[in-house]
Amino acid sequence: MVNEVLRRCLRRVVVFAAVAAVCFSPAHAGPAGPAGSGPVLDMNFPDPDVVRAGGVFHAYATSGNGKNVQRATSRDLVRWSAATRDVLPVLGEWVDPVEPRVWAPEVFDNGRGFTLYYTAHDRAGGRQCIGVALSVSPQGPFRPVGEGPLICPADQGGAIDAASYSEDGRRYVVWKNDGNCCGMRTWLHVQSVSEDGTRLLGEPVRLLTQDREWEGEVVEAPTLIKRGRQYVLLYSGGPYRTDAYGVGYAVADRLTGPYVKADAPLMTTNTFAGRVRGPGGQDVVAGADGRDRIVFHGWNADRSWRMMYAADLSFSGGRLTVSAGSTSR
């Protein structure tokens, strides 16, 4: 009788432990994908850029929520926590105080600390230009360097959307001339820079421009990666305030091209059956498992702000594909 009671008690303990393990363990995070779960960060967080440091993913975004540059952190690219401090509390003296908004930040590990590129209005010429700032850590604060912007071709409409790329010990910046501000063409450029990204070392080389119907009057937000022997240049195009905004890509055998565009855009509102509206402002990052993820923004229902999404990305046979499936959270 005593043995039977003990067995029953043990069974109850085992069942309770199993239930507790299910109910109180951390939620499982599956592959990142935007369709079923919605945004991975449900707040105003446009133009996301992600860098990994010490096992933590740091995402940076355009001005919002009272900050010049926003930051959020995650360990799995699915569950994110927004930081309370401004990453770039002080802007370069060249920035117009009447229009101090900061756009499209880019952060990278420069070997001795971290470099941040940011876009803001130049007080001298009134164009948007690219500035640079440095910090010892990814959480900042970043401090502006230089007496003026790093890239500011006023005769081409200015410059925006800097992205970093490095190979064989050399670093480059990829950027867009903001020609659509003033009735000119927009081009994506690549340019050699110093190791910490604070000095230009060569002349810019044009990579591609708008020539597809879906791109409308603009290509922007470049992201350059290399997979195998091929260079893959992702970019956003179309009117960014609408559902027609999307992400395309082009492939080349050399860093400076020529780049051949894919026949169709990689991501559009239709790609996600309307669940992500106007996807764009993308970045590519390797997850903890080594697989590529693409992070990007999409509009909320009334287009008052843009949320951050993430999806699986793969490259094979010269083609990029993105998962439109759901993620468990």
Side-chain angles (χ1 to χ4, degrees):
M1 180 66 176
V2 174
N3 289 338
E4 180 62 26
V5 171
L6 287 173
R7 280 194 294 270
R8 291 178 181 176
C9 289
L10 286 172
R11 281 198 297 269
R12 290 173 182 173
V13 170
V14 171
V15 170
F16 177 80
V19 171
V22 172
C23 293
F24 301 109
S25 63
H28 172 68
S37 64
V40 292
L41 191 57
D42 192 359
M43 59 179 282
N44 184 33
F45 205 82
D47 306 311
D49 170 73
V50 179
V51 63
R52 189 182 187 193
V56 176
F57 296 97
H58 300 260
Y60 306 86
T62 284
S63 289
N65 299 300
K67 302 176 183 64
N68 290 323
V69 173
Q70 303 183 76
R71 184 176 69 94
T73 57
S74 173
R75 290 190 175 274
D76 59 12
L77 295 174
V78 176
R79 290 169 287 246
W80 290 87
S81 298
T84 58
R85 292 192 302 173
D86 193 338
V87 170
L88 185 65
V90 178
L91 304 180
E93 293 184 0
W94 57 272
V95 176
D96 187 349
V98 179
E99 298 185 64
R101 190 172 187 188
V102 174
W103 299 80
E106 162 87 358
V107 174
F108 63 89
D109 185 337
N110 63 36
R112 297 182 179 179
F114 292 81
T115 301
L116 182 150
Y117 289 134
Y118 64 100
T119 298
H121 277 89
D122 177 31
R123 72 165 75 206
R127 303 297 190 199
Q128 293 202 99
C129 301
I130 294 168
V132 61
L134 296 173
S135 173
V136 297
S137 69
Q139 57 263 36
F142 286 83
R143 302 298 183 189
V145 298
E147 296 181 356
L150 179 69
I151 305 173
C152 193
D155 60 340
Q156 300 176 50
I160 70 171
D161 295 349
S164 177
Y165 175 78
S166 65
E167 69 172 13
D168 300 330
R170 298 189 64 181
R171 186 167 297 280
Y172 303 85
V173 59
V174 189
W175 55 274
K176 167 218 170 185
N177 75 289
D178 202 28
N180 55 300
C181 79
C182 348
M184 293 182 283
R185 295 196 70 80
T186 61
W187 284 88
L188 302 184
H189 306 74
V190 64
Q191 191 165 5
S192 180
V193 293
S194 59
E195 184 179 359
D196 64 0
T198 63
R199 292 180 293 111
L200 301 176
L201 300 181
E203 294 299 316
V205 176
R206 287 179 169 180
L207 302 180
L208 57 82
T209 187
Q210 74 267 24
D211 56 14
R212 300 294 175 87
E213 183 177 355
W214 74 269
E215 297 165 352
E217 298 179 354
V218 62
V219 290
E220 58 189 9
T223 303
L224 182 61
I225 61 175
K226 188 177 184 181
R227 295 298 177 263
R229 297 183 177 180
Q230 292 186 297
Y231 296 88
V232 185
L233 180 60
L234 295 91
Y235 62 93
S236 299
Y240 86 97
R241 292 184 180 274
T242 74
D243 287 357
Y245 200 57
V247 175
Y249 72 96
V251 178
D253 294 326
R254 297 172 61 245
L255 174 65
T256 54
Y259 282 84
V260 178
K261 292 182 179 179
D263 293 335
L266 175 69
M267 298 193 304
T268 67
T269 300
N270 290 336
T271 303
F272 305 113
R275 290 183 289 266
V276 181
R277 303 171 65 176
Q282 76 295 320
D283 190 24
V284 176
V285 60
D289 58 4
R291 293 186 299 153
D292 282 337
R293 305 287 196 272
I294 184 169
V295 295
F296 54 99
H297 67 234
W299 286 103
N300 66 338
D302 64 2
R303 289 192 178 83
S304 57
W305 38 278
R306 288 166 287 174
M307 306 164 285
M308 184 170 71
Y309 294 84
D312 293 327
L313 185 72
S314 59
F315 182 72
S316 178
R319 296 184 60 186
L320 276 180
T321 55
V322 63
S323 169
S326 64
T327 179
S328 57
R329 297 185 63 184

